Amino acid sequence: MGISMGYASPLNGFSTLQVCKVYVMWNCDTCPSTNIPMPVVKNPSTNFLGYTDFPNFVPFNAVGLTSLICATIATEESTWGKVKALYGE
């Protein structure tokens, strides 16, 4: 589809910058599959993934990364008291 975002105040794009956060909620007891990739790719219409500077609006290329959703996470058995102790009283 392609998504464009704008901000009222310019942001510093010369260091790591989180532009968008995607939340996924699975309504199941167990996932049908694990480690499903969710890549950030170029806009299919413009073949561009990037940003522009302010105030000149010169386009710069950006790097899209891939996250894994519903990944298998190792756990260990514990008691409820030990879990609560992690967060204080």
Side-chain angles (χ1 to χ4, degrees):
M1 284 187 334
I3 297 173
S4 293
M5 300 179 76
Y7 297 91
S9 300
L11 301 175
N12 181 1
F14 294 101
S15 59
T16 301
L17 172 67
Q18 179 175 309
V19 176
C20 185
K21 186 182 284 189
V22 177
Y23 293 98
V24 177
M25 187 168 97
W26 296 99
N27 295 320
C28 59
D29 293 332
T30 58
C31 293
S33 59
T34 59
N35 297 330
I36 302 166
M38 182 177 275
V40 174
V41 298
K42 294 179 180 180
N43 182 314
S45 299
T46 62
N47 200 31
F48 178 72
L49 173 63
Y51 60 96
T52 58
D53 73 342
F54 179 83
N56 302 319
F57 303 106
V58 175
F60 292 91
N61 289 319
V63 175
L65 302 177
T66 298
S67 292
L68 300 177
I69 57 174
C70 202
T72 304
I73 300 172
T75 61
E76 65 182 56
E77 289 196 26
S78 186
T79 64
W80 182 240
K82 287 182 180 178
V83 173
K84 289 193 319 186
L86 293 171
Y87 299 98
E89 294 183 28

